[in-house]
Amino acid sequence: MLSQELDIAVEKASADQLQPKPDQNNLGFGQFFTDHMFAMQWNREKGWHEARIQSYRQLQLDPAAMVLHYGQAIFEGMKAYRSKDGRILLFRPLDNFSRMSQSALRMCMPRLPEEQVLKALRALLYLDQEWVPHAEGATLYIRPTMIATERMLGLRPAEEYLFYIISCPVGAYYSSGFNPTKIFIEDFYVRSVPGGVGDAKTAGNYAASLKAQMNAQKKGYNQVLWLDAIEHKYIEEVGTSNIFFVIDDVLVTPPLQGSILPGITRDSVIQLAKDCGMAVDERRVSIDEIITACENGTLTESFGTGTAAAIAPVGEFCYKDTSYTINNGSTGPIAQKLYDQLQAIQFGAQEDTHGWVVPVS
Ligand code: PMP
């Protein structure tokens, strides 16, 4: 079933179905959606079928659709970038689709025909090419999603699914320069547990994180840094990003042991750091080590990595009511260098020696 050639029907949006075009310089995040979407269904008998590109529209969902009750919902987040010479570029798209297949496996949902879905995405973006922003630093954020649609009450894996891709133009994350974040280290709520679903990009993980996120924001912090669920001691990840520290000139990040999302930006940053000769250590790192390294000055930088921001420098941590400032609250040279390199590759301004960039046309 996986190698099946998807027959993609294309039905262009009619004039009255076209979405109003937003102001390119005031896009924000996740508010405007393009004219078209890709969708296909799955059932046991036909596998993936009815693949089509159609106008962006509301879904028809039965109130008993299993996703609404038992939460089989997974998604991805990726971007299309416009290069200076006008090309549209995707960054490691097959890594997103293979991560989605891994999420599907964990949630007892069907695997994606990954190459075929990439073909569909390219066709979709070709049709919606005018929606890929030209404004400096702005991008098209792409949201592949899979949900259980079978109409049934009773706990078991659903036998019918919908996969779709929608996308939205988003503004430059740092329109007025880097703005290091303030991070609240959460020592009560946890994001995921060993043996749980922390390494799957499944909707429930995000719902479960909201309470701690709201508490942190009320206290004036941007994001939550999660600790492990057993000892509340080891660093996991921060908000919707992976986390890095520079300690004694070594780039340190928690290992992929099943409780954090295997970030594609994380993987890319590790590679770029190694390319410039930097030592990288994927290992467990405790909050006590971080506090000590903050106090004795060996921790010189910290930053989050993720598709939305690429790199988000951390300026301050709060742990048990004490604040720790990092690099005087400003962006460090390593975060800056990795950010510049990554963005240059993503926007097609620097040679891509890793085969990460996939042009749309
Ligand atoms: N962790 C979580 C929980 C996330 O939601 C994300 C965003 N997908 C990341 C890390 C970073 O992953 P990526 O670099 O692939 O965007």
Side-chain angles (χ1 to χ4, degrees):
M1 210 54 90
L2 287 179
S3 59
Q4 84 191 108
E5 186 69 18
L6 277 183
D7 202 3
I8 305 170
V10 179
E11 188 191 309
K12 280 195 187 175
S14 59
D16 61 319
Q17 289 171 326
L18 297 179
Q19 309 286 322
K21 286 261 187 354
D23 171 5
Q24 289 240 341
N25 297 309
N26 211 359
L27 291 169
F29 198 96
Q31 300 169 50
F32 307 101
F33 294 90
T34 66
D35 293 327
H36 296 93
M37 64 191 285
F38 171 76
M40 62 181 179
Q41 268 111 260
W42 186 93
N43 66 26
R44 195 165 297 286
E45 185 198 339
K46 297 188 193 157
W48 288 111
H49 63 284
E50 264 185 65
R52 71 256 179 208
I53 291 172
Q54 60 189 22
S55 57
Y56 184 95
R57 61 186 63 179
Q58 299 203 340
L59 302 178
Q60 278 207 337
L61 214 52
D62 195 282
M66 290 176 83
V67 62
L68 301 174
H69 307 272
Y70 312 114
Q72 278 179 296
I74 58 174
F75 63 97
E76 270 302 323
M78 56 207 286
K79 280 179 168 179
Y81 305 80
R82 191 178 288 279
S83 68
K84 280 246 161 23
D85 59 6
R87 291 172 304 143
I88 297 173
L89 309 173
L90 291 163
F91 185 71
R92 307 185 67 173
L94 279 174
D95 291 290
N96 285 96
F97 294 134
S98 86
R99 183 169 71 187
M100 194 162 192
S101 281
Q102 289 307 313
S103 299
L105 206 63
R106 180 64 184 83
M107 306 307 291
C108 300
M109 299 166 84
R111 266 195 76 162
L112 282 181
E114 293 153 27
E115 297 275 355
Q116 299 291 316
V117 173
L118 177 56
K119 195 173 103 184
L121 173 61
R122 291 169 80 169
L124 175 67
L125 293 182
Y126 187 73
L127 210 57
D128 276 343
Q129 56 185 279
E130 282 314 311
W131 284 89
V132 182
H134 292 261
E136 173 101 38
T139 53
L140 188 76
Y141 184 78
I142 300 162
R143 171 53 55 87
T145 307
M146 195 198 300
I147 55 172
T149 49
E150 188 188 355
R151 174 182 190 259
M152 225 291 294
L153 296 184
L155 183 59
R156 61 156 171 74
E159 294 187 349
E160 288 166 25
Y161 295 87
L162 172 71
F163 170 85
Y164 60 86
I165 304 177
I166 52 174
S167 46
C168 51
V170 299
Y173 210 83
Y174 299 110
S175 41
S176 52
F178 267 139
N179 192 7
T181 49
K182 290 173 68 179
I183 301 293
F184 184 78
I185 300 179
E186 176 60 57
D187 62 357
F188 176 71
Y189 294 110
V190 295
R191 176 185 173 274
S192 83
V193 296
V197 294
D199 60 350
K201 203 160 166 61
T202 185
N205 282 341
Y206 297 84
S209 73
L210 291 174
K211 184 81 180 162
Q213 174 69 20
M214 291 300 102
N215 287 349
Q217 275 172 6
K218 258 190 237 149
K219 292 180 180 142
Y221 293 87
N222 309 102
Q223 290 280 2
V224 169
L225 188 148
W226 300 102
L227 298 177
D228 78 279
I230 306 282
E231 296 177 70
H232 293 229
K233 177 174 172 188
Y234 292 100
I235 309 277
E236 297 254 301
E237 55 188 330
V238 55
T240 56
S241 304
N242 295 109
I243 184 87
F244 285 81
F245 304 94
V246 180
I247 306 173
D248 276 328
D249 296 328
V250 176
L251 193 57
V252 178
T253 193
L256 302 179
Q257 289 179 330
S259 58
I260 66 174
L261 197 77
I264 291 158
T265 323
R266 172 189 182 279
D267 189 69
S268 310
V269 159
I270 289 174
Q271 186 61 54
L272 291 177
K274 286 181 178 167
D275 290 351
C276 3
M278 203 173 171
V280 181
D281 203 358
E282 293 178 62
R283 65 169 169 85
R284 293 190 93 188
V285 45
S286 72
I287 183 61
D288 297 338
E289 176 184 350
I290 294 302
I291 300 304
T292 307
C294 273
E295 284 170 348
N296 67 19
T298 50
L299 190 152
T300 47
E301 291 189 40
S302 175
F303 54 86
T305 62
T307 298
I311 286 183
V314 176
E316 184 184 326
F317 284 121
C318 173
Y319 182 57
K320 294 195 189 293
D321 295 330
T322 307
S323 279
Y324 301 86
T325 304
I326 300 172
N327 197 39
N328 297 320
S330 56
T331 301
I334 293 168
Q336 184 72 56
K337 181 173 172 177
L338 290 167
Y339 175 77
D340 291 344
Q341 280 197 6
L342 187 60
Q343 291 282 100
I345 296 171
Q346 289 171 330
F347 282 94
Q350 179 177 313
E351 196 198 346
D352 164 32
T353 55
H354 298 288
W356 287 341
V357 172
V358 176
V360 163
S361 53

